[in-house]
Amino acid sequence: MARAGLTAERLTQAGAELADEVGFDQVTVSALARRFDVKVASLYSHVRNSQDLRTRIALLALEEMADRAADALAGRAGKDALTAFAGVYRDYAREHPGRYAAAQLRLDPETAAAGAGVRHSAMTRAILRGYDLTEPDQTHAVRMLSSVFHGYVSLELAGGFSHSAPDSQESWNRIMDALDALLRNWPTT
């Protein structure tokens, strides 16, 4: 019999909170059971195993970021849209480091296709249409933006920019300027 009040959604949310507190790599069904002061077996009617829990947290994080990005992009175009979109990722990672790490989890193709990652890609491509990029350049640009955003955010979260001046915000602003300039003058093949 399932413990009253425990649902897959509640466990996913609690797992996401745990990820933010202790790190995504530390999230397991056992750790979650301890959090609820229940036996591990009582969670298996809601989640199959730790990998299922981690996948659910990843999908939650992608959904949360997609919702924030959609709100941030409303009515924006060009550099303004690019900067707002990038800011969503950076802010989310700062507020929810464990969930941000979860969003990087490699998902199987079927799960990925049904998740909010598709929305992220569509929003990125919408921004790039404002720069008049067509295929295959859009795909190259999507990969570049993802790499720059994730790389910067990961280094910043790890404290990589805290040891020297100028402030990392100044560097972030310069990177947004450089990305905008590059996208406006995208090299043709």
Side-chain angles (χ1 to χ4, degrees), residues 140-155:
H140 297 311
V142 166
R143 292 172 180 168
M144 178 193 67
L145 292 176
S146 296
S147 298
V148 171
F149 300 162
H150 178 64
Y152 194 90
V153 165
S154 297
L155 289 168

Side-chain angles (χ1 to χ4, degrees), residues 48 51-52 54-56 58-59 62 105-118:
R48 290 187 305 274
Q51 185 59 37
D52 179 42
R54 292 166 57 82
T55 298
R56 289 171 184 270
L59 293 171
L62 288 167
L105 182 69
R106 184 177 184 153
L107 302 172
D108 66 75
E110 185 177 312
T111 302
V118 174

Side-chain angles (χ1 to χ4, degrees), residues 65-74 76 78-92 116-128 141-142 145-146 149 153 172 176:
M65 284 194 297
D67 290 344
R68 286 185 181 197
D71 289 344
L73 288 174
R76 296 177 189 231
K79 183 182 175 194
D80 191 35
L82 176 68
T83 302
F85 189 67
V88 166
Y89 286 90
R90 188 174 182 220
D91 292 344
Y92 189 83
V118 174
R119 287 177 56 205
H120 291 267
S121 179
M123 286 184 278
T124 306
R125 288 176 184 279
I127 292 167
L128 294 173
V142 166
L145 292 176
S146 296
F149 300 162
V153 165
W172 180 258
M176 292 302 109

Side-chain angles (χ1 to χ4, degrees), residues 18-90:
L18 184 61
D20 288 338
E21 293 167 18
V22 301
F24 183 60
D25 290 341
Q26 302 302 311
V27 175
T28 63
V29 173
S30 297
L32 200 55
R34 286 191 297 276
R35 188 177 195 101
F36 282 99
D37 195 27
V38 298
K39 293 183 191 237
V40 173
S42 66
L43 301 187
Y44 287 126
S45 60
H46 306 290
V47 295
R48 290 187 305 274
N49 51 39
S50 290
Q51 185 59 37
D52 179 42
L53 174 63
R54 292 166 57 82
T55 298
R56 289 171 184 270
I57 296 168
L59 293 171
L60 172 69
L62 288 167
E63 189 72 33
E64 288 175 343
M65 284 194 297
D67 290 344
R68 286 185 181 197
D71 289 344
L73 288 174
R76 296 177 189 231
K79 183 182 175 194
D80 191 35
L82 176 68
T83 302
F85 189 67
V88 166
Y89 286 90
R90 188 174 182 220

